[in-house]
Amino acid sequence: MTYAYDLENGQRLIVQNEGSDTVVALSSGDEGQQQSQSTAFSTGKWSKTPELFSTRGALILRLESKSGVEFIRVRGNQIQSMRSEPDLENAEKRKLRKSDEDVVMKPMKPMEPMEPMKPMAPMTPMKPMAPMKPMASMRPMEMRMGDMQMSMGSREKAGEPAKRFCTQCGKPAQEDDRFCASCGHALSGSK
């Protein structure tokens, strides 16, 4: 038998008698993301419907079974058994409603064992690369930015005469120039 009571803070108090145990749980959230905490008490099978009372700052559950009457206090998120009978003279009685919720954890169905991994198929060898052209047959690499130009590789080997540039200003220079005609900088490797 399960009973529930909706608290003002969005939580739900759930009381369930399972055999000789009473499980008291506080549940919050919607069905998709529900959080709950529960405490079990050995109370015996209920002989009467549980009663719920509201006192200053706490809820008191009165549980009656063949072995006697027990009281459980719910304050905030704490659920605990009371050692002595509380004074319920000024307490307000709350109505517990029957519920189909189940707070007793049922054992999970065991997982089926995983199948062992199959070994990987051997890798197929790569095709050999085509032979590379000799560097002498490749065109030199050139880059130009505005008046500046830079080249890598030899044009002479590609059948073109080598061009010289000033290392200071980047302007073209003749092969036999000793100084830059534009800025006057001494050209390296001059003859």
Side-chain angles (χ1 to χ4, degrees), residues 104-147:
V104 177
M105 296 286 286
K106 303 284 189 242
M108 287 179 58
K109 189 171 95 174
M111 289 178 56
E112 293 190 24
M114 292 177 61
E115 287 186 32
M117 290 179 63
K118 294 182 172 93
M120 287 179 56
M123 293 179 68
T124 54
M126 292 176 58
K127 293 180 182 176
M129 290 177 53
M132 293 182 70
K133 294 180 182 178
M135 292 294 265
S137 66
M138 297 180 109
R139 294 199 51 171
M141 183 171 81
E142 292 183 4
M143 184 172 83
R144 295 177 191 213
M145 288 179 72
D147 291 340

Side-chain angles (χ1 to χ4, degrees), residues 11 49 52 68 77 88 101 111 125 137 150 154 162 166 173 175 177:
Q11 288 185 317
T49 303
L52 181 66
N77 288 332
L88 298 174
E101 292 178 72
M111 289 178 56
S137 66
M150 184 173 97
S154 174
C166 174
E175 191 173 333
D177 286 348

Side-chain angles (χ1 to χ4, degrees), residues 9 21 56 58 61 69 73 76 91 113 118 132 152 159 182:
N9 62 4
D21 289 337
R56 264 184 274 159
L61 271 168
V69 177
R73 178 175 46 217
K118 294 182 172 93
M132 293 182 70
M152 293 175 70
S182 182

Side-chain angles (χ1 to χ4, degrees), residues 5 7 9 11-15 24-28 34-39 59 74-79 103:
Y5 177 74
L7 303 167
N9 62 4
Q11 288 185 317
R12 178 176 293 130
L13 176 69
I14 303 165
V15 185
V24 180
L26 285 170
S27 172
S28 63
Q34 198 170 35
Q35 294 179 342
S36 68
Q37 69 178 51
S38 62
T39 307
L59 292 172
V74 179
R75 182 183 300 169
N77 288 332
Q78 294 180 340
I79 304 168
V103 292

Side-chain angles (χ1 to χ4, degrees), residues 4-7 13 15 49-54 58-62 72 74 88 91-96:
Y5 177 74
D6 291 323
L7 303 167
L13 176 69
V15 185
T49 303
E51 295 176 296
L52 181 66
F53 298 91
S54 176
L59 292 172
I60 308 288
L61 271 168
R62 182 180 187 276
I72 297 171
V74 179
L88 298 174
E92 291 182 45
K93 190 168 183 179
R94 303 292 182 190
K95 184 159 177 58
L96 287 166

Side-chain angles (χ1 to χ4, degrees), residues 165-173 178-187:
F165 296 91
C166 174
T167 57
Q168 184 69 30
C169 69
K171 298 280 184 185
R178 294 177 59 193
F179 297 95
C180 175
S182 182
C183 71
H185 181 69
L187 298 172

